[in-house]
């Protein structure tokens, strides 16, 4: 980004003018309310959004760093964690905390696993994390920051992690094995039990990345979706990341990180006392935490309750099935067997990048997967009413791509 300088205005600007400018700045943003965003948004209805906003504003100024000062936030956090642990079958010794997002949850799980392995003193070389090709880059980011390396294993033909490949990649330097529930690229659930067994047999920390699935898969299972156990019900699972700001429908800045036992949980905390201002202790990477995000998560979970989550999940699953059937009806091929809210599909006959470019020209922001190439959708209730429009535009884009043979002068890179 250019190092442009903007001098702070001498005089302040009144709110009405700022509001006008704020609105104008967003005019060309993706029209997410009408389902044009393939990711980034998790909408469960205006009523849910309203609850999240009101709760957020009520605790806008409060700080989750100061739980000593804000017993309110301590209560909200401990209740959110308790509800999450109940959903994910945490045992009596299981613990957890709220973080600001999936990346922070993953970072802290990696840090805890690294520290446990270091304390056990089994390593000879650089510590590593073994994970499938489809796992989220947050693990590589954490590894990069924490002095580890990642070893990525190939996917099975169904795009799920291959437990044998993972088991074969584990060495005495492996501090963590990862499985995703589901993985972001194809929305498929990894074979958690087989991977957990492989990890347990080798005495390695097993993390389940349920950032996407943590607050939707339990409800999908209750609704009868054939999803295998993926949480602490599976022996060998040490930690789970589950994002509240995705399918928990909370305000952004909210995730949970859970541990099977108190000793593992201790690895997420940090304490320091060698300075004048007294003991500093956090369970998170960040210090100051938005009180609003904690309060909003608590409020939304209680507003929806089990019935609300089941209701929204039913609609999300139906929406994914409708998109899946619709794209297959047009000759596209679903990549893998998605079980929740994510759908990736390729074309056996046409240039999917050209189809994507034609969709962009029709006003849809597109998400992409690589190898094989496909379009990617992370669905929520904004996508429910526009399925007909989406499929009509996809059919027209397919025809356009067939006409131009993909030679429409564009280039499209798969970006997150
Ligand atoms: C499977 C998975 N893990 C982790 C993350 C990272 O979450 P965040 O963007 O909240 O840091 C994502 C984000 O989409 C994800 O899909």
């Amino acid at each position: 980004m250019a190092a442009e300088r903007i001098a702070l205005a001498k005089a302040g600007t009144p709110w009405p003018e700022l509001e006008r400018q704020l609105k104008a700045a967003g005019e060309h943003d993706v029209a997410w309310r009408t389902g044009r965003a393939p990711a980034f948004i998790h909408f469960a209805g205006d009523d849910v959004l309203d609850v999240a906003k009101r709760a957020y504003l009520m605790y806008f100024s409060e700080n989750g760093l100061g739980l000593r000062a804000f017993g309110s936030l301590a209560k909200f956090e401990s209740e959110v964690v308790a509800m999450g642990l109940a959903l994910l079958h945490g045992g009596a010794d299981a613990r957890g905390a709220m973080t600001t997002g999936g990346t922070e949850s993953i970072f802290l799980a990696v840090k805890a696993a690294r520290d446990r392995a270091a304390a056990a003193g089994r390593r000879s070389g650089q510590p590593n994390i073994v994970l499938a090709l489809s796992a989220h880059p947050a693990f590589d980011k954490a590894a990069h920051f924490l002095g580890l390396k990642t070893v990525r294993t190939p996917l099975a033909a169904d795009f799920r992690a291959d437990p044998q490949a993972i088991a074969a990649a584990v060495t005495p330097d492996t501090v963590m094995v990862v499985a995703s529930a589901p993985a972001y690229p194809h929305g498929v659930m990894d074979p958690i039990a087989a991977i957990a067994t492989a990890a347990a047999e080798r005495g390695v920390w097993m993390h389940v990345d349920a950032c996407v699935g943590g607050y939707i898969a339990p409800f999908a299972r209750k609704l009868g979706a054939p999803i295998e156990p993926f949480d602490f019900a599976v022996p060998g699972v040490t930690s789970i990341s589950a994002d509240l700001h995705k399918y928990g429908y909370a305000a952004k800045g909210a995730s949970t990180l859970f541990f099977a036992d108190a000793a593992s949980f201790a690895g997420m905390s940090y304490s320091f006392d060698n300075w004048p201002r007294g003991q500093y202790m956090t369970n998170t990477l960040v210090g100051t935490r938005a009180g609003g995000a904690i309060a909003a998560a608590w409020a939304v979970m209680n507003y929806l309750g089990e019935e609300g989550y089941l209701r929204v999940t039913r609609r999300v699953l139906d929406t994914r099935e409708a998109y899946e059937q619709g794209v297959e009806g047009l000759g596209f091929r679903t990549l893998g067997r998605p079980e929740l809210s994510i759908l990736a599909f390729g074309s056996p006959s046409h240039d999917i990048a050209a189809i994507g470019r034609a969709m962009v020209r029709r006003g849809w922001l597109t998400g992409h997967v690589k190898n094989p190439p496909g379009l990617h959708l992370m669905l929520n209730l904004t996508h429910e009413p526009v399925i007909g429009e989406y499929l009509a535009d996809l059919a027209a884009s397919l025809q356009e791509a067939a006409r131009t043979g993909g030679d429409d002068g564009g280039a499209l890179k798969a970006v997150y």
Side-chain angles (χ1 to χ4, degrees):
M1 205 173 270
E4 189 188 351
R5 266 68 162 174
I6 299 181
L8 201 56
K10 278 266 180 302
T13 308
W15 170 247
E17 169 56 16
L18 292 175
E19 188 182 30
R20 192 196 62 74
Q21 290 186 30
L22 286 162
K23 275 199 186 129
E27 246 165 41
H28 300 293
D29 283 358
V30 64
W32 66 264
R33 276 191 167 273
T34 50
R36 264 58 180 173
F40 312 123
I41 295 286
H42 297 85
F43 178 74
D46 277 313
D47 57 333
V48 183
L49 195 54
D50 196 46
V51 167
K53 285 181 180 176
R54 284 168 186 261
Y56 198 107
L57 288 183
M58 281 179 74
Y59 284 87
F60 182 89
S61 300
E62 282 73 2
N63 186 342
L65 173 63
L67 297 181
R68 201 164 55 88
F70 307 112
S72 52
L73 298 180
K75 165 188 150 71
F76 300 148
E77 179 174 15
S78 73
E79 291 183 13
V80 165
V81 166
M83 287 187 274
L85 279 172
L87 275 176
L88 299 173
H89 300 106
D93 199 27
R95 300 282 188 280
M98 285 185 71
T99 70
T100 57
T103 300
E104 188 187 355
S105 289
I106 287 168
F107 186 95
L108 291 166
V110 170
K111 180 235 172 236
R114 181 200 66 170
D115 292 355
R116 188 179 87 175
R122 293 187 300 135
R123 301 198 315 249
S124 54
Q126 187 183 14
N128 67 55
I129 305 172
V130 175
L131 71 178
L133 211 49
S134 55
H136 195 271
F139 292 97
D140 300 77
K141 191 176 189 176
H144 180 71
F145 285 0
L146 290 167
L148 317 181
K149 66 177 184 180
T150 54
V151 179
R152 292 226 174 215
T153 57
L155 299 178
D158 59 4
F159 298 99
R160 303 199 310 159
D162 176 354
Q164 281 171 358
I166 287 183
V170 171
T171 69
D173 291 325
T174 303
V175 305
M176 175 186 269
V177 157
V178 175
S180 303
Y184 186 57
H186 308 102
V188 295
M189 302 286 281
D190 284 341
I192 309 286
I195 297 170
T197 302
E201 280 170 4
R202 290 158 181 80
V204 176
W205 185 296
M206 158 84 178
H207 182 80
V208 174
D209 179 10
C211 280
V212 170
Y215 293 99
I216 186 170
F219 303 107
R221 293 186 83 218
K222 281 208 170 81
L223 289 165
I227 296 171
E228 289 165 14
F230 68 94
D231 55 25
F232 291 121
V234 178
V237 172
T238 321
S239 55
I240 302 178
S241 47
D243 287 355
L244 292 156
H245 62 199
K246 293 192 173 79
Y247 292 96
Y249 305 113
K252 287 186 180 59
S255 172
T256 36
L257 176 59
F258 301 114
F259 298 85
D261 56 85
S264 304
F265 171 62
M268 129 179 230
S269 74
Y270 177 78
S271 172
F272 182 81
D273 208 1
N274 187 21
W275 76 319
R277 181 56 173 82
Q279 190 182 11
Y280 174 91
M281 215 299 276
T282 58
N283 282 327
T284 46
L285 175 62
V286 299
T288 288
R289 288 190 295 166
I294 297 170
W298 179 90
V300 168
M301 287 176 100
N302 283 295
Y303 175 74
L304 281 170
E306 185 183 33
E307 286 175 11
Y309 278 110
L310 286 171
R311 225 174 17 246
V312 178
T313 301
R314 175 77 276 157
R315 288 172 62 187
V316 172
L317 295 181
D318 288 350
T319 301
R320 195 219 66 236
E321 274 166 34
Y323 274 81
E324 198 175 337
Q325 282 168 18
V327 302
E328 287 186 357
L330 293 173
F332 292 94
R333 190 176 293 151
T334 301
L335 301 174
R337 199 170 60 82
E339 290 173 284
L340 293 163
S341 57
I342 291 174
L343 173 67
F345 56 94
S347 171
S349 48
H350 293 93
D351 181 348
I352 199 84
I355 296 167
R357 291 194 291 273
M359 287 297 276
V360 170
R361 287 195 289 275
R362 286 175 168 78
W364 303 88
L365 186 67
T366 51
H368 295 260
V369 290
K370 302 190 292 188
N371 308 324
L375 295 180
H376 182 268
L377 289 167
M378 191 186 207
L379 298 160
N380 59 73
L381 295 194
T382 61
H383 299 103
E384 192 184 45
V386 297
I387 178 160
E389 254 181 280
Y390 182 88
L391 292 173
D393 279 349
L394 191 62
S397 298
L398 179 66
Q399 280 175 11
E400 205 177 299
R403 232 184 7 257
T404 60
D407 188 17
D408 59 351
L412 213 147
K413 189 173 168 344
V415 287
Y416 194 90

